[in-house]
Amino acid sequence: CALPICDVLAIPATYGAPMYRFPPRQQVLADIQRFVDQCLDDKATPVLIANQIGTAQELMSVLGKAGYRLRVHRSIYDVAKLYKEMGLTLPNARRFQGSPAKDEVVIFPPILRKHASIRKLRKYKTAIVSGHAVDPAFVFSQKVDAAFPLSDTADFQDLLEFISATGARDVYLVDGHIEELSKELRDRFGVRVYSLIKPKQLSLF
C-alpha cells in the first residue's frame, strides 16, 4: 500500500527504544525452524509462544508451508480462520485438543505459556517469539528455552523511517517506549511530539 503523507500522525511506540533492532526476518524464521528441528530430533514437543494475532499466524504460514504439522490454541485458530476467509493459506494446522502427536509443533499465546495443557506434556521445550526477545531481561523473566525476535510491529529504526517519510510535523505516541522515541524524533527531525498516555499522579502516601 502507498505510504500515507500527513501533517498529524498517531502511532504506537511499542518498540520505540534504540535497543529494539530486529535481525533480518528470514534469518529469524530460519532460526525458529532450526529450534523446531532440534526439538523434534530430541523427541521433545516444540512449544512456540507468540501473540495470538499476527505473529502466531505468520508462524502457522511459514511452518505449515514448510511441512510441519501444527497444533494451535483455540484463540489462535479462530483468528486463523479469518485469514483463510481472506484467501491466505495456513496449511497443516489443527486446533489444540488433547495431546499433540510426537511430530507436531504447538503454538500458544503468551498469556497461556504456563497452561496445564503445556505442563502435562511428557517432554517439551518452549520458545518465546516476540520483538521483546532482543531484551535479555525480558527473556530471563519468561523462563523459556529459546527466544526469537520476530514481530509484526516495526522496530526502532523502522519507526523512525516511517514517521519521517510521512512528513508529519505533529506526532502522537501511545504505548511502549514513548519517552525514548519522543526524544529521538525531536532531536532528529524537530517534530512536535505528544503522549496519548495520561501521566500518573504520584501518591502522597
Side-chain angles (χ1 to χ4, degrees):
C1 60
L3 179 72
I5 303 301
C6 56
D7 298 315
V8 180
L9 175 69
I11 192 168
T14 306
Y15 298 118
M19 70 178 296
Y20 292 107
R21 297 177 186 268
F22 305 150
R25 204 169 197 81
Q26 291 306 315
Q27 174 187 321
V28 179
L29 290 169
D31 291 341
I32 292 172
Q33 289 194 44
R34 276 193 289 273
F35 169 79
V36 169
D37 289 338
Q38 289 168 1
C39 289
L40 296 177
D41 289 344
D42 196 33
K43 309 300 181 186
T45 298
V47 179
L48 304 179
I49 307 299
N51 285 340
Q52 64 199 59
I53 300 177
T55 305
Q57 285 73 36
E58 181 170 5
L59 290 174
M60 291 174 66
S61 175
V62 172
L63 295 177
K65 290 175 181 177
Y68 297 96
R69 298 173 60 203
L70 311 174
R71 292 287 289 274
V72 303
H73 185 263
R74 173 178 52 81
S75 62
I76 294 172
Y77 191 80
D78 288 346
V79 174
K81 288 190 291 187
L82 300 177
Y83 277 63
K84 291 181 179 180
E85 290 174 7
M86 299 297 292
L88 299 176
T89 304
L90 300 173
N92 296 326
R94 293 192 299 157
R95 177 178 164 181
F96 188 98
Q97 288 179 316
S99 298
K102 293 181 179 180
D103 63 342
E104 289 184 316
V105 181
V106 172
I107 306 177
F108 260 54
I111 195 172
L112 298 176
R113 62 188 177 84
K114 295 183 179 179
H115 194 273
S117 297
I118 295 175
R119 289 188 282 108
K120 75 178 184 180
L121 295 174
R122 188 181 65 83
K123 185 178 182 181
Y124 66 93
K125 292 183 179 180
T126 55
I128 189 81
V129 183
S130 165
H132 291 292
V134 299
D135 181 357
F138 171 80
V139 175
F140 179 79
S141 71
Q142 299 300 296
K143 295 180 171 56
V144 291
D145 298 293
F148 302 99
L150 183 74
S151 175
D152 58 356
T153 302
D155 70 1
F156 178 70
Q157 188 60 39
D158 286 339
L159 272 172
L160 290 178
E161 292 176 2
F162 177 83
I163 293 171
S164 174
T166 66
R169 304 307 301 167
D170 293 280
V171 179
Y172 291 81
L173 301 178
V174 62
D175 296 332
H177 297 266
I178 292 176
E179 291 185 11
E180 295 97 323
L181 186 56
S182 295
K183 182 180 185 305
E184 200 72 24
L185 290 171
R186 292 189 184 105
D187 291 349
R188 287 200 191 191
F189 310 125
V191 301
R192 293 178 290 271
V193 187
Y194 310 91
S195 171
L196 292 177
I197 301 296
K198 183 183 294 187
K200 292 184 179 179
Q201 175 65 48
L202 296 177
S203 174
L204 297 178
F205 305 99

